[in-house]
Amino acid sequence: MSEAILEPELPIIDPHHHLWDLRPVMGAFPEPHHHFVASVARSPYYTFNELHADMTSGQNVIGTVYMECGAFYRAGADEALKVVGEVEYVNGVAAQGASGLYGAMRPCAAIIGHADLTRGSAAGAVLDALASAAPDRFRGIRHAAAWDADPDVLGPPFHAPAGLYLDSKFREGFAELGKRGLTFDAWLLEPQLGDFLSLAKAFPDQPIVLDHCGTPLGMGSYHGKLHERFDTWRASIKAIAECPNVSVKLGGLAMSFAGMPDHGPEAGLSSEVLAAMWRPYIETCIEAFGPDRAMFESNYPVDKWGASYPVLWNAFKRLTLGASADEKRALYAGTAARFYGLEYLLG
């Protein structure tokens, strides 16, 4: 679907997208019946060219934050250090964008990698190696905890154990972030938000961002239950927002997991339809956290399931039509710039 760009001059820092080349591994899923796997099969690679095309498709995207996704790991490296390859690769993409050959936009201006925090204090050495691989851009890590007893909810690519954020060894590793002034991105599912709240309270000085509005679910055994679980989700969001060290990413709702829409990829829905679908979740998060602790995200190419890149941002802009100029500056760029150390992009 093609739409006129709303508020085309509004600066955007996209604080959450991936890069990958999954063509070599797609054979591991010969029957992509799961919605997530099926959507990835439609876009098995998303590298500089695809990112650049989206960043320049009409919205005023001035910079982005790369989010780890298990891509481009080092072959033959020690198991704990394979993750360094991802940061090395993305730092090269960032350097390509920073060359100026592609305009003023700055892709991957900040990089979020991965380290296995269940290694406990030994994870500190991995964090140091990640920082050495991209000293000007590495900002922190994500260690996802998404898990559900129903295997149809997440599908085969996801293997986090139950209760990861409650695990003592994980928390020992988590403490290494604070020693280095690093950020933490958290991804888990709505029924797990109590685990996240416990972690946030246990480390009140650690900057944490909750990805994807806490991932409300519309898949598997949760299909058709978004409405009945909304109050539970909202109560969790309000409780988490009471932790001043936590921010929230506004997006991820176009993922197949959430079922908003429940068909894809690129369902062809207008930004008006998407905005109406997402409004209760986005408005709840902004009300709870405030614009200074909330940031819109594309979660691309995963959210390509529900919308093209320009339509996705149009939908967000429809949800903030009544916001002030200062609120919009925070939601679309300012909060992300402050959280990830990208204030220089704003001049």
Side-chain angles (χ1 to χ4, degrees):
M1 168 169 290
S2 178
E3 294 185 354
I5 303 298
L6 303 177
E7 299 179 80
E9 301 305 316
L10 181 64
I12 294 170
I13 295 176
D14 182 350
H16 196 113
H17 71 83
H18 310 291
L19 298 171
W20 59 41
D21 187 343
L22 299 179
R23 290 172 292 185
V25 301
M26 285 313 299
F29 311 115
E31 297 294 336
H33 61 280
H34 189 275
H35 287 180
F36 177 82
V37 177
S39 64
V40 169
R42 292 283 294 268
S43 298
Y45 58 92
Y46 191 79
T47 52
F48 177 85
N49 288 343
E50 289 76 29
L51 175 63
H52 177 262
D54 283 330
M55 288 182 70
T56 57
S57 58
Q59 303 287 354
N60 184 23
V61 182
I62 61 174
T64 75
V65 178
Y66 173 82
M67 184 56 50
E68 68 85 26
C69 58
F72 304 105
Y73 280 12
R74 275 185 184 174
D78 177 81
E79 189 64 31
L81 292 173
K82 288 182 178 180
V83 297
V84 177
E86 182 171 24
V87 171
E88 289 176 324
Y89 166 76
V90 176
N91 199 42
V93 172
Q96 184 177 356
S99 70
L101 293 174
Y102 307 90
M105 60 93 178
R106 293 293 179 262
C108 309
I111 300 172
I112 301 302
H114 173 70
D116 181 3
L117 297 185
T118 65
R119 293 173 53 84
S121 60
V126 180
L127 296 174
D128 293 338
L130 293 167
S132 295
D136 296 327
R137 298 185 178 97
F138 178 68
R139 297 293 189 267
I141 71 158
R142 178 172 73 165
H143 191 153
W147 173 90
D148 194 82
D150 178 1
D152 288 335
V153 172
L154 287 168
F158 302 97
H159 306 286
L164 177 63
Y165 289 171
L166 304 177
D167 179 76
S168 60
K169 201 69 173 176
F170 172 89
R171 292 190 175 196
E172 180 185 313
F174 191 86
E176 296 297 313
L177 296 169
K179 298 176 184 178
R180 293 162 173 81
L182 298 173
T183 65
F184 185 74
D185 266 73
W187 180 47
L188 72 176
L189 309 179
E190 175 267 308
Q192 302 176 278
L193 288 177
D195 293 2
F196 176 86
L197 179 60
S198 172
L199 181 68
K201 287 183 173 181
F203 295 87
D205 297 322
Q206 173 62 47
I208 305 173
V209 61
L210 176 64
D211 294 346
H212 312 330
C213 298
T215 314
L217 292 176
M219 282 280 284
S221 55
Y222 299 92
H223 183 71
K225 296 184 178 180
L226 281 169
H227 180 74
E228 69 180 71
R229 294 192 65 88
F230 181 81
D231 288 345
T232 300
W233 169 84
R234 179 170 54 189
S236 295
I237 290 296
K238 288 183 176 181
I240 290 168
E242 293 177 5
C243 300
N245 57 316
V246 179
S247 299
V248 67
K249 285 183 177 172
L250 307 170
L253 299 176
M255 288 192 294
S256 60
F257 307 124
M260 292 183 276
D262 62 3
H263 59 288
E266 290 191 83
L269 301 179
S270 69
S271 60
E272 294 97 326
V273 172
L274 292 169
M277 199 178 297
W278 301 340
R279 183 177 299 279
Y281 296 93
I282 299 297
E283 289 187 345
T284 295
C285 286
I286 294 175
E287 180 181 352
F289 284 88
D292 290 333
R293 287 195 292 140
M295 57 186 100
F296 283 109
E297 55 161 338
S298 75
N299 191 34
Y300 241 59
V302 183
D303 277 32
K304 192 174 182 179
W305 171 264
S308 68
Y309 197 83
V311 170
L312 185 83
W313 288 100
N314 268 4
F316 294 151
K317 289 176 178 179
R318 291 186 185 281
L319 294 171
T320 57
L321 286 175
S324 70
D326 286 344
E327 289 169 336
K328 289 179 182 179
R329 274 193 291 270
L331 291 166
Y332 289 95
T335 300
R338 186 174 61 255
F339 189 89
Y340 290 113
L342 296 176
E343 290 92 344
Y344 71 92
L345 291 178
L346 299 177

